[in-house]
Amino acid sequence: MSVGDVAGLIAAVAFVLLVGALAVPLIKLGRVLDETRVSLAQVTEHTLPVIDEAATLVAQSNAQVAKVDTITTSTAEVSQDVAALTALFSATVGRPLLKVAAFTAGVRRAFGQGR
C-alpha cells in the first residue's frame, strides 16, 4: 500500500463519516416534516366542521334577524295605528266631553252664586 492509497482510504472514510453525519439531520428533518403534515391534516379535519357550523349559525341568525325585523315593522305599524286611533278618539269624543264638563262647571257656578 502506497501513501496515495492510504490517503485515498482516509478520504473515503472521511467522506462516509460526512455522509453519515449529514444523513442523521436529514432523517430527523423528514420526521419533522411528516409530523407537520399529520398535524396540518388534523387541524384541517377539525377546522372544517367548525367553519361549517359557523356558516350554519350565521344563516340561522340571519333568518332570526329577518323575523325580528318583521316583528319590529309590525310593531311600528301598530303603534302608528294606536296613535292615530288615540288622536281620532280625542278629536271625536274628547273635545265634546271637555265642552260638556266646562258647561257643567259653568252651570254649577251659576247656581252656586245664586244661592
Side-chain angles (χ1 to χ4, degrees):
M1 231 179 187
S2 70
V3 175
D5 290 339
V6 173
L9 186 60
I10 291 174
V13 170
F15 183 72
V16 168
L17 289 176
L18 179 65
V19 168
L22 291 176
V24 173
L26 287 176
I27 291 172
K28 287 184 179 181
L29 180 63
R31 288 181 189 158
V32 167
L33 290 176
D34 287 341
E35 288 296 321
T36 303
R37 183 184 51 82
V38 169
S39 296
L40 185 61
Q42 289 176 350
V43 166
T44 303
E45 180 181 325
H46 295 298
T47 302
L48 290 178
V50 171
I51 291 173
D52 292 339
E53 289 178 18
T56 302
L57 179 64
V58 167
Q60 291 174 349
S61 297
N62 285 339
Q64 293 297 325
V65 166
K67 289 179 182 178
V68 169
D69 186 41
T70 303
I71 291 170
T72 304
T73 302
S74 298
T75 304
E77 290 174 1
V78 167
S79 68
Q80 288 176 350
D81 292 343
V82 167
L85 185 61
T86 302
L88 178 65
F89 181 78
S90 174
T92 53
V93 178
R95 287 187 185 143
L97 283 177
L98 284 175
K99 289 181 181 179
V100 168
F103 177 74
T104 306
V107 169
R108 274 196 227 158
R109 280 193 187 160
F111 284 127
Q113 289 178 356
R115 290 188 185 177

